[in-house]
Structures are given as structure tokens and as C-alpha cells.
Amino acid sequence: MSACACGEKVVLSHEEAFLKLLDKYRDYKGGLIPVLQGAQDIYGYLPKDVLQTIAKELNMPFSKVYGVVTFYAQFHLKPRGRNIIRICLGTACHVRGGAKILQAVEEHLGIKHGETTEDLRFTLETVACIGACGLSPCMMVNDNTHGRLDPKAVGAILDTYE
Amino acid sequence: MNNLNDLRAKFQEEYKQKLTRPRIVVGLGTCGIASGGGKVMEAIKEEVAARGLDIDIDFTSCIGMCYREPMVEIALPGAASVVYGDIFPDKVAQLLDSHVINKTPVYEWAAIQIPGEATPYEGIDIMEQSPYYEKQVRSVTSRLGRTNPENIGEYIATGGYEGLEKALGMERQAVIDEVKKSGLRGRGGGGFSTGMKWQFVYNAQGDKKYAVCNADEGDPGAFMDRSVLEGDPHAILEGMMIAGYAIGADEGCIYCRAEYPLAIRRLNLAIAQAEELGILGENILDSGFNFHIRIKAGAGAFVCGEETALLNSIEGKRGMPRVRPPFPANSGLWEKPTCLNNVETYANVPFILRKGADWYAAMGTEKSKGSKVFCLTGKINKTGLCEVPMGITLREVIFNVAGGIQGGGKFKAVQSGGPSGGCLPESKLDLKIDYESLTEAGSMMGSGGLVVMDQTTCMVDVAKFFLNFTQNESCGKCTPCREGTKRMLEILQKICDGKGEMEDLDTLDRLSRVIKNSALCGLGQTCPNPIISTLEYFRDEYVAHIVDKRCPAGVCAALLVYTIDAEKCTGCGACLRACPAGAITGEKKQPHSIDPAVCIKCGACISKCKFNAIYKA
């Protein structure tokens, strides 16, 4: 956000914000990580062409940029959804048809686990056990646990998340 | 040289004015906010407006009693100030009516009182004499929960930047001598003499030097650095400036975890405020000393708490450690001499300069001086933050300060020093807390997390937990740590699954020693500590897992057998309905039974049984 003389707030486009960020850190010693952090704030993740631009603008090999991105837990190379779904595949959920829940969610969203929907609404992940075995089969969406799931009903639950 | 006397007089007057006004203060550290302090603040604002009360509303940081958050303090002129615990929005109205309007505290919600000059209320513990604070000293944490961390005026009014003024009036070597004399040692856990470290940087040849603060606190169960950063950010800046002056640096950098957004925000604010008053920046207080501080947010890697990895990370590289020597004191950030200390170390420095090295050295033991901030977590009654003099015993901290074991359980072990530390049994509880004795016992001071465990904790599982953590966080640069942690974890997993053999213990022992001696950095060298210490003090638990195929604490799922006590079972069928695997059978109103071959040991039945008829062993 920046304010112009007339007092109207101007929302920068992604590209403009990114260029501003690069300008700020171009001659800054050790600026790679702040640039990556800033770029991820702008785009939500770190697309390949953005990484290539960063490498070029900061005058360093692409391999070095990629090496730093893959070292730190904070950086994502693939887009992340606004809502993170974690389907539990622990023993109890497995016995009670966790795989069927996963299948139902995959069909409902049209993606496989580990992927993100194109509209960036959901990222689908699987976990070993979320410790709610009494509610199996279950899943978590963001911080909310949904239990005793029925493959036919998961669609309705997901539709409540924007 | 300019001094701060005029400014200080002005701020002291303002602060005095503030203390003479009726006020309500909400604790808004991370723990307060997480318990709902923000909503309490809103409720207070609403209720105060609705009643048209003339009262100031302010906020502070964590006073240390995290187990009573959200906390609210009410102070009326001429009366003792009362700190209330567990104040949720629904209690605000009654609190205001009773304490502010009718001048009667709500005794049953009060945690402690701070009388000051006023007459104390009957029946509320006075802070210094309360069970939680009686054994504590508050120097590094003295402002936590007592002042507003976002107000530089309150910092200066309470003696802030006096240490810096004093230092700027001294020879640089004299400042280093003062820190040496105080006996302060690295509070990050290593325990190296801070004055000596400064001396090395001072002696190092270089046209440019740096002072760096390690605020990359990543140990599970440790949050003291976060509390100090959030509660007294100026103390860190002041400590760094004093270090910068003494060693001849003009630039400082605070490397702070990105997971601490509130700490980063308050540090940024503190830097801006100090710059505005001319306390930080060019020509500080007209002394000719320049110092600039910037903040670098980490990107999520535990190994970056290791000093050489941290420096690499600031330089924008992968956060991997390198071989020492050369030590950062000779070749650190951008290969320049660098003084690198932990948050708590820097926070101690202003007090040492202000009150003198002798005052500081009077506290503690022969080799470990001063006080140490600990985080109390685990199976204890009072989880929170405490500051105790060095030389206090573990028993006093656990049973006096932390109020003993939760739910009347039995103490089993205390883990100090995070993933690098060890687990100490009851026989070691009378150890005096200092660097040497903890190391000798097979643990270490570490950053200051104390995790207390009771009879429901499985020590093999604990070792596995820490190994899992270090294995995930190993940077992969050196083979002993990269491969060694993986193999040790596999063996521990095998033992927890009931497939262990007695030879495994010898293998673990050998691996531990080899990794300890051959890993590149502190993370690798200390990661076997949880295994070595549990093997030494709790070997019987390992043997029970391997030989008897049982887990005495009832934690390792693979070794548990769920059984229904026919005496207690009423045949209500709750467990049968809860069992996801269909392992429970039985007629209505007849005792049920569990088929161990089908049971998946998820514990769902136990949580549903109202008659305590199901047990695992």
C-alpha cells in the first residue's frame, strides 16, 4: 500500500510490488532471504519465473537461489490454498474407511492429495494421525476437526470454507 | 557527551503521573493474546465506556504466570494494585463493579497483589511472598508485566539506558573488564564467559566489526527469549549498544525467528523510538559513537540457532554451520570480527553496567553468577516463566515455584536444555542449577526450558521425540548427524514397536558416543544427550520394552493390551459403539470383552467408558 498526493490509497499490482521489493534489496548485502520472504508474501508461493528473476536481479546463480529456497521450511515452490485440508489416514481412520473419505474429497475437488485447486481455495494433504480416533474417520480443515465423516457428506462440509 | 537527565526527569514525571491515576492493565504477551487477552481488552473498553468510568486502560507483557492468563491488573490511587488471573470477557463486568466502583477486590479471582506504599489487602498474596515468586529474583524480567513494552518513556523512567550512559563515559576496555568481573556467561546454554568473548572481538584485527543477537529460539519447551523480546525490547537494544561500543562495532543485527511476529513488531517499534530520541543511530548522546541495529527474520530452520549457521543465514545463504575455528570473534559476519550473544545475555548487560559487576556477582554460585530465566512446562501445576538465582536446586524450582506435579502425580524426570539436554531422575533433584553440575549429570543448562515428566511419560518415547526433532532439523552437511540421527531414530522406533533386542542398547550407546565426538556443530554433538541420559537413568524402561515387551508408562501403542475389567463393566455398550475396529463384543448389560487381535489400540473405548472399566497395560 502506498498513498499518493490526493490521499487515495493505491493498491500495487503484484508485478509492481515485486519490482519495488527488488529495488529495495538490489544492493543490500545478504538480501536474498528478505527478497524471497517478500516475494512469497506477494505471490503466496515462489513460482519458478519469480525465482529466475530474483537470481538475475541479485546477480547470483539460479542454483544458489533454489538451494536457499529448499533449505528453509518457510518457502513453498507450489501454490498453497487458502484452506488446508488434512485427511487422517491413521490406523483407526484406515479401518473405518479413511481412504474412501480421501477419495471422496479428491473427486469433489478434482485434485489428488499433495495438490492445490486451481482457484487456490484448497490444498489437500494427508497425515498419519491427528489423535481423534474416537471420531474416525476424520479430517482437519485449517484448525477445525471434522469427525465421523461420511463420504457422501464431505462435499457439504468443504463448501462452507471459502 | 549529552546525558539523558532532562529526558529521564520528564519521563519519570510522566510515569509517576500514570501511577497516580486509576488504571486497568491487560497482559498482552503472546501467552495472554493466545488465551484471549485481546477479547478481554475489548470487553474492558466497552464496559468502561458503558459505565462512564474515569480510568486509564493500558497493556503490558507476560508477568510470568502463564498458567493464569489472561491476567488483568487493577490499580486505584492509594490502594494496593491487584493482579487477577483467568479473567475472561464474561468476568469483566463484575470485576469493574466490585473493584473499581465499590473499591472491593474480587478476592477469589486475585492471583497476587503489589502494595507499593499502600496498605495490602487481607487475604491476597503479596507478589514477593507468594509461592510462585518467593524463590525468584526479578532482574532481567523486572519490567515484564510491569511496564508497557511499546513505550520507551517507561523504559527510561525505570532506569533504562543508564547502563549505556555509564558505558559511554568509560574506556572501552573498562566496559569489557566490568562484564568480565560480573562473571556473566552465555545464556544461550553454552556458558562461555561473555567478557572473554568480548575481549576476543576487541583484540581481533578488523576495520569493521559487528554485534549480533541470537534470537532464534527453537527448542521445544523454551520461550524465555520470546518473553524478554516482547516484554522488554529496549533492554536487548541497550545491551547490544554497550557491546557494540566496547568491541568497536557500529552495526548490530538481531536474528529473530519469523514465528515470533509480535517480538519482531515490538523490536522494530523500539528501534524507531530509540532512533527518534537520538539514543540509537549516529553520534549517540553526542559521544561520537555510531550504532545501527537491523532485524533479520529467520526462515524456519532450527539449526540456525548455531552461531556459524546463523551468520550464514544472515548473509542470505543456506543456514549450514561451518568448522570452527576460526571463531566468529575473529571471522564472523562477512568474515569480520563478530560478537554473537543470546537475547538473555544481552538483556543482562544493562543491569551489570547500571548496578555494577559486584552487585551482579553477589548472586549465584562460584562459577555461575547472576540469575537464569527458566520456562516451566510439562506435568506441573504452574507452567510459566520464572527467574531464579543460579545455585537454586531443581527441587526448589519444580516443587516450590512450579507448585509440584499436576494432579498429585509422581515425579519421574526433568528435561533441561531442549533437544540437546538430558533427562534427570529424582535422585538428581537436589543438584544446584549451574552450568557445570548440570553438564556433569549428563544434561545441560541449555537455553532454559525445563520440561517436567511424571509416571505417565515413557522415557524411550521422550528420547524418540527429541531424536525425531533433531533428525528433521539436521541440516545434512555432516555425515555423523545426517545418517546417525536417522539410524538412532530407527532403533528407538524398533524398541517402541516391541521389536527391540538387547544388542540395540549397545549399538545406541556406541552411535551416541561416535556422533558426540564427530559431528560438525552443536546440534549434532548434543543430539545423543537425550538417549545417553535416559539409557543411564532409566535403563529399566528400555529393558521392559525389549525383554518384557511392555511399556511401563502405557504410552507405546504397539506394546499395550486393552482389557475390560468384568467387575466394573456394566455392559452399557458405549465402548462397543466407539470402537472403530469392531474389536469389542458383548451382550447388553453383560460384561464386554476386547479381542486383542482386532484391537488397533487407538484408545477410543477408554475415553468413552464412564466406569473406568477399561485399562491398558
Side-chain angles (χ1 to χ4, degrees), chain B residues 161-193:
Chain B
Y161 292 115
E162 271 180 39
L164 175 71
E165 274 185 295
K166 227 170 172 173
L168 292 178
M170 293 159 73
E171 288 294 321
R172 289 166 48 199
Q173 183 61 52
V175 176
I176 295 176
D177 290 339
E178 193 73 12
V179 176
K180 268 192 206 164
K181 207 166 79 180
S182 74
L184 174 65
R185 296 171 62 175
R187 290 289 188 260
F192 190 78
S193 157

Side-chain angles (χ1 to χ4, degrees), chain B residues 17-252:
Chain B
Q17 285 303 325
K18 175 186 154 171
L19 298 187
T20 55
R21 293 257 313 139
R23 65 186 194 283
I24 298 187
V25 189
V26 184
L28 292 183
T30 292
C31 50
I33 293 170
S35 335
K39 289 197 177 71
V40 177
M41 187 65 141
E42 279 166 37
I44 288 175
K45 281 180 179 161
E46 267 171 44
E47 300 284 348
V48 165
R51 287 169 177 67
L53 296 172
D54 172 42
I55 189 162
D56 297 336
I57 301 172
D58 199 5
F59 69 91
T60 181
S61 60
C62 172
I63 197 166
M65 301 171 94
C66 304
Y67 65 103
R68 294 296 305 270
E69 290 284 2
M71 299 191 87
V72 173
E73 180 181 350
I74 297 185
L76 301 178
S81 142
V82 179
V83 182
Y84 293 98
D86 306 305
I87 298 300
F88 294 95
D90 56 353
K91 291 183 178 170
V92 168
Q94 190 188 331
L95 198 61
L96 292 177
D97 290 341
S98 173
H99 194 144
V100 181
I101 295 175
N102 297 325
K103 313 280 188 259
T104 317
V106 186
Y107 288 92
E108 60 270 29
W109 297 345
I112 47 171
Q113 63 173 333
I114 299 141
E117 320 265 294
T119 324
Y121 293 104
E122 284 290 320
I124 302 175
D125 284 336
I126 292 173
M127 183 169 175
E128 287 77 22
Q129 296 152 18
S130 68
Y132 191 72
Y133 289 106
E134 195 185 10
K135 300 259 179 195
Q136 293 195 42
V137 289
R138 280 171 65 91
S139 64
V140 173
T141 56
S142 58
R143 291 188 186 87
L144 271 59
R146 308 302 311 135
T147 61
N148 181 326
E150 297 186 9
N151 183 340
I152 189 170
E154 292 189 16
Y155 181 73
I156 293 176
T158 50
Y161 292 115
E162 271 180 39
L164 175 71
E165 274 185 295
K166 227 170 172 173
L168 292 178
M170 293 159 73
E171 288 294 321
R172 289 166 48 199
Q173 183 61 52
V175 176
I176 295 176
D177 290 339
E178 193 73 12
V179 176
K180 268 192 206 164
K181 207 166 79 180
S182 74
L184 174 65
R185 296 171 62 175
R187 290 289 188 260
F192 190 78
S193 157
T194 306
M196 289 289 286
K197 191 184 272 189
W198 290 16
Q199 188 70 58
F200 290 147
V201 187
Y202 176 87
N203 293 345
Q205 297 301 314
D207 50 342
K208 174 122 187 136
K209 293 177 184 178
Y210 293 97
V212 176
C213 172
N214 182 347
D216 190 64
E217 175 178 63
D219 289 8
F223 49 88
M224 52 273 138
D225 291 355
R226 193 201 70 211
S227 307
V228 176
L229 291 164
E230 286 173 3
D232 204 5
H234 286 283
I236 322 290
L237 304 186
E238 188 180 354
M240 286 178 76
M241 282 188 246
I242 294 169
Y245 172 75
I247 62 173
D250 63 348
E251 234 184 287

Side-chain angles (χ1 to χ4, degrees), chain A residues 19-67:
Chain A
L19 288 175
K20 246 180 100 159
L21 175 81
L22 284 170
D23 284 339
K24 184 177 168 187
Y25 287 106
R26 205 179 306 273
D27 303 315
Y28 183 97
K29 266 167 102 179
L32 175 58
I33 292 171
V35 167
L36 291 169
Q37 286 170 328
Q40 184 160 284
D41 280 344
I42 294 167
Y43 294 97
Y45 73 112
L46 293 167
K48 187 176 171 183
D49 56 338
V50 166
L51 294 180
Q52 282 167 329
T53 311
I54 291 174
K56 201 170 106 218
E57 295 288 335
L58 298 185
N59 207 1
M60 55 177 69
F62 180 68
S63 60
K64 188 184 163 186
V65 176
Y66 187 78

Side-chain angles (χ1 to χ4, degrees), chain B residues 307 322-332:
Chain B
E307 58 178 9
R322 58 161 177 76
V323 178
R324 297 180 306 178
F327 285 90
N330 293 312
S331 172

